[in-house]
């Protein structure tokens, strides 16, 4: 993975975690955090740049959903 892709993924990961901390309900907050961590852990060994780009776009959409719900 290129350094810029890695940095982009890490920024997105941190943004998702930061935004999910804003859920007022404990159960929603912990569920969101667990899902984010599990998804990133599951996909950490992917090397295909097209697949990485697809996952990054999916994560951006999820970030917007979390942002709207909070």
């Amino acid at each position: 993975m290129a350094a810029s892709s890695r940095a982009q993924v890490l920024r997105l990961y941190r943004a998702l975690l930061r935004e999910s901390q804003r859920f007022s309900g404990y159960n929603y907050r912990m569920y969101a955090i667990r899902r984010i961590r599990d998804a990133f852990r599951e996909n950490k060994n992917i090397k295909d740049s097209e697949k990485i780009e697809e996952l990054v776009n999916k994560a951006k959409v999820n970030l917007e959903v979390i942002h709207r719900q909070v």
Side-chain angles (χ1 to χ4, degrees):
M1 182 185 324
S4 63
S5 294
R6 179 175 170 79
Q8 179 185 16
V9 169
L10 289 174
R11 276 195 308 272
L12 188 55
Y13 177 71
R14 289 183 193 117
L16 283 162
L17 288 177
R18 201 171 26 251
E19 197 65 30
S20 65
Q21 289 291 332
R22 295 178 52 198
F23 278 117
S24 59
Y26 174 79
N27 288 333
Y28 289 121
R29 186 171 52 248
M30 296 315 297
Y31 176 74
I33 291 169
R34 186 173 58 248
R35 287 288 307 230
I36 293 165
R37 287 181 178 157
D38 289 347
F40 275 80
R41 249 186 234 128
E42 180 182 319
N43 296 315
K44 74 178 181 179
N45 293 324
I46 294 179
K47 303 292 184 208
D48 182 24
S49 61
E50 290 178 12
K51 182 67 175 170
I52 292 170
E53 189 64 32
E54 177 185 326
L55 291 168
V56 165
N57 290 334
K58 185 177 174 183
K60 286 179 182 178
V61 169
N62 287 334
L63 179 61
E64 289 299 318
V65 168
I66 291 172
H67 186 68
R68 282 194 309 264
Q69 290 179 347
V70 174

